[in-house]
Amino acid sequence: MKKSIRVLTLAMIPLLLGPALASPAFGQDAPTEGDSIVLVEMPIEAGVVAEDQLARIARMDDAGPMLNAVIATNPNAASEASAALAADLPLRGRTMLVKDNIETRELPTTAGSLALRDNRTGRDAPLIANLRRNGGVVLGKTNLSEWANIRSNESTSGWSAVGGLTRNPFAIDRNSCGSSSGSGAAVAAGFAWAAIGTETNGSITCPASINGIVGFKPSVGLVSRTHVVPISSTQDTAGPMARSVADAAKLLSAIAGEDTADPVTRTVPNRVADYSQGLAEYSLEGVRIGVMRNQIGDDDRVREVFEAALADMEAAGAVLVDIEFEPDSQMYGDSFTVLMFELREEMGRYLASIPPIGGDETATPRNLADLIAFNEANAGTELRWFDQDLFELAESTTDREAYEEARANAVRIAGEETLDVLLADNQVRFLVAPTRGPAWMSDLVLGDQFNGSIGFGSPAAIAGYPHLTVPMGDVEGLPVGISFFGAKWADHDVLKAGAAYERARTADLPEPTFERWAPRD
């Protein structure tokens, strides 16, 4: 059942502060020849696909380039895939890798921390129960930035004490971003048909962009958060990570749904049964799209790739509208206050809900203070590379009145005063910007070195609006993605726009090298 476990975080508190077998019949990644990914046009039995993917994980995650993307695997995945196919369920045995802060009944849920290394709850998160009912199969759990990157401002994305450092398949000395690091790297490496990540601010979209895949952060409420290790009920959501927009839409359709234990899921108007419907037919002809010029950033190489993506959309009939805008910076500080307050409360509720670890109540953390104490007692492993300053700050953030004021401000500024105003005043249906720059060198000593001038993801994360990233090209073999934003609950429309761009895209996309980065010839 693979190796021991590791972790991830919210695709960036640090950021926030500032195929194994695919056929038309089974939708899986194709069988591999050596270490390359090859698509096949013949139907393949779903159990065989799962076996091939598990073998690929053993060959390339546990050995070879040692991506450290997968923490644990499900030994029954092949038989479960065959059964789902035989039952003719919608996903027909397609395999998923699940970020290890989401509970699945067969495997521990660690959030990458040794404190939860043996956290076997025996529960399926409702989103996983939905997945199984629709014929999806849990192939295993993915590494992440420990605690979804909410432990420290000095963290290295993709590292957890359980799983070690996730490596980027396009350049194994480069970062895979976070906090859904393993999910992004695993899909890029062809370890599964798709993966499920979580995001508080950038944790799906950044690793998707940097690992050259599609990532979708849904409107908060589309997907249940019950039995998912929390940071913030205001901003947390799970979402799909896949090799195409159509596959991401299929996976979203399978995991979305109401949950009586998560009240925000009951506020969704006009739920869509099938998010893949209409994607193939959607046209950009006459669609007005706002271009966030100030968020392109200061990297001319990213700008060049982005301008080519804009040209592709314009050639497909889109009407591009240049927008120069800087959001009210109060949004960032107020959102941070929200995260700190909600982390303490909601982590405590989650830890109180789990059964005693190994049957030993004394070994089971029940609140954030217990986690802080565990890390101090195990500093040689947990605190070797970075501290827990954010945990400590959250533990002391207790002013509810200040929190409620900050939450109201952050959500209003990000939603009504930013995204809603930009869409309405410019009479555009979508906004676009580069998602992030190319992957930086991983450095456990100095931490992350991302370019904070690129991207516009925070307003959608803070307000709970949809955000889709689609590969648009590369910088010296390192993938970069383009982000699509829309109105609250306009998830289906955003996916349609992304699929239309995907068809119009003229860029040649890079393939993983599974080697250290080197300049192109």
Side-chain angles (χ1 to χ4, degrees):
M1 287 197 354
K2 193 120 190 356
K3 44 200 161 197
S4 52
I5 303 164
R6 314 158 193 192
V7 325
L8 188 162
T9 153
L10 65 38
M12 304 193 229
I13 275 288
L15 262 71
L16 185 147
L17 296 182
L21 301 131
S23 72
F26 298 99
Q28 297 283 20
D29 294 319
T32 59
E33 295 181 358
D35 289 337
S36 63
I37 300 171
V38 183
L39 295 183
V40 295
E41 297 301 327
M42 55 182 284
I44 300 173
E45 205 283 327
V48 175
V49 172
E51 289 174 351
D52 182 90
Q53 291 165 334
L54 291 171
R56 185 174 177 85
I57 290 169
R59 187 171 70 250
M60 303 189 71
D61 203 67
D62 302 338
M66 295 189 68
L67 296 183
N68 284 340
V70 181
I71 278 179
T73 55
N74 173 14
N76 300 315
S79 60
E80 292 172 8
S82 296
L85 176 62
D88 199 26
L89 296 171
L91 288 178
R92 308 191 72 201
R94 289 177 171 91
T95 53
M96 318 293 155
L97 286 164
V98 180
K99 186 176 178 180
D100 198 30
N101 60 349
I102 301 171
E103 291 190 12
T104 68
R105 64 193 182 214
E106 63 272 91
L107 295 170
T109 299
T110 72
S113 170
L114 295 173
L116 297 185
R117 185 173 195 163
D118 298 314
N119 179 33
R120 294 179 176 272
T121 68
R123 307 184 296 204
D124 272 343
L127 74 92
I128 298 298
N130 290 345
L131 175 73
R132 296 192 205 269
R133 277 194 294 270
N134 283 286
V137 173
V138 174
L139 189 69
K141 305 292 281 290
T142 56
N143 198 11
L144 66 166
S145 312
E146 188 165 330
W147 297 113
N149 248 357
I150 194 66
R151 200 191 83 189
S152 173
N153 265 319
E154 306 302 322
S155 69
T156 296
S157 292
W159 181 89
S160 71
V162 171
L165 179 64
T166 306
R167 296 181 173 91
N168 190 315
F170 290 85
I172 60 174
D173 52 349
R174 298 265 168 169
N175 201 267
S176 54
C177 201
S179 58
S180 302
S181 317
S183 295
V187 173
F191 291 166
W193 173 69
I196 301 173
T198 66
E199 176 162 326
T200 307
N201 190 334
S203 287
I204 289 173
T205 52
C206 182
S209 175
I210 277 180
N211 287 283
I213 65 169
V214 171
F216 185 58
K217 185 205 79 73
S219 294
V220 171
L222 239 57
V223 180
S224 166
R225 288 86 54 83
T226 300
H227 302 332
V228 178
V229 181
I231 293 175
S232 163
S233 58
T234 298
Q235 295 181 206
D236 288 353
T237 183
M241 303 175 73
R243 292 174 66 85
S244 71
V245 176
D247 285 351
K250 289 175 186 174
L251 179 50
L252 178 63
S253 302
I255 64 176
E258 288 189 8
D259 170 19
T260 55
D262 187 354
V264 71
T265 66
R266 306 182 72 178
T267 67
V268 180
N270 304 315
R271 277 192 176 272
V272 175
D274 182 3
Y275 285 93
S276 66
Q277 187 174 16
L279 265 62
E281 298 79 25
Y282 188 80
S283 171
L284 292 177
E285 183 68 40
V287 177
R288 291 174 59 86
I289 298 175
V291 180
M292 302 304 300
R293 286 288 169 188
N294 291 2
Q295 285 71 38
I296 296 174
D298 58 12
D299 189 325
D300 289 341
R301 300 162 302 176
V302 173
R303 179 181 297 273
E304 181 179 353
V305 178
F306 182 62
E307 293 294 348
L310 296 178
D312 288 341
M313 287 189 282
E314 203 162 33
V319 178
L320 303 183
V321 180
D322 286 343
I323 299 174
E324 294 189 4
F325 175 84
E326 292 293 343
D328 184 344
S329 61
Q330 181 183 352
M331 170 183 70
Y332 302 109
D334 284 340
S335 171
F336 182 66
T337 297
V338 170
L339 300 189
M340 292 296 95
F341 185 92
E342 291 184 347
L343 172 63
R344 179 183 55 81
E345 288 206 337
E346 293 168 18
M347 184 66 76
R349 281 195 288 270
Y350 172 78
L351 293 172
S353 79
I354 64 176
I357 293 176
D360 183 358
E361 181 62 34
T362 63
T364 306
R366 293 301 184 189
N367 50 49
L368 185 60
D370 287 349
L371 296 180
I372 293 170
F374 178 90
N375 291 337
E376 291 172 345
N378 295 274
T381 49
E382 282 291 350
L383 302 180
R384 178 179 180 183
W385 300 116
F386 50 87
D387 59 24
Q388 54 179 339
D389 62 322
L390 294 179
F391 268 16
E392 293 165 348
L393 179 59
E395 180 63 19
S396 65
T397 303
T398 59
D399 187 333
R400 178 169 294 278
E401 183 177 351
Y403 152 71
E404 291 175 349
E405 181 180 356
R407 185 184 186 281
N409 287 341
V411 172
R412 184 191 71 253
I413 294 169
E416 295 174 22
E417 297 178 7
T418 298
L419 294 171
D420 291 353
V421 165
L422 290 172
L423 293 167
D425 287 0
N426 294 282
Q427 298 179 5
V428 295
R429 192 161 189 184
F430 309 106
L431 305 171
V432 294
T435 306
R436 280 287 167 195
W440 57 92
M441 297 288 289
S442 291
D443 190 332
L444 287 170
V445 176
L446 298 179
D448 285 335
Q449 303 166 46
F450 59 88
N451 184 336
S453 73
I454 301 170
F456 191 57
S458 285
I462 294 168
Y465 285 31
H467 177 185
L468 172 70
T469 182
V470 181
M472 66 174 178
D474 70 281
V475 172
E476 291 287 341
L478 301 173
V480 286
I482 181 172
S483 289
F484 291 81
F485 307 96
K488 185 73 177 280
W489 310 124
D491 299 69
H492 198 191
D493 291 337
V494 171
L495 288 165
K496 289 177 182 177
Y501 162 69
E502 203 174 45
R503 291 193 302 274
R505 183 181 55 212
T506 59
D508 293 327
L509 300 183
E511 291 292 335
T513 66
F514 303 103
E515 297 176 350
R516 294 174 67 86
W517 180 82
R520 285 185 165 177
D521 293 338

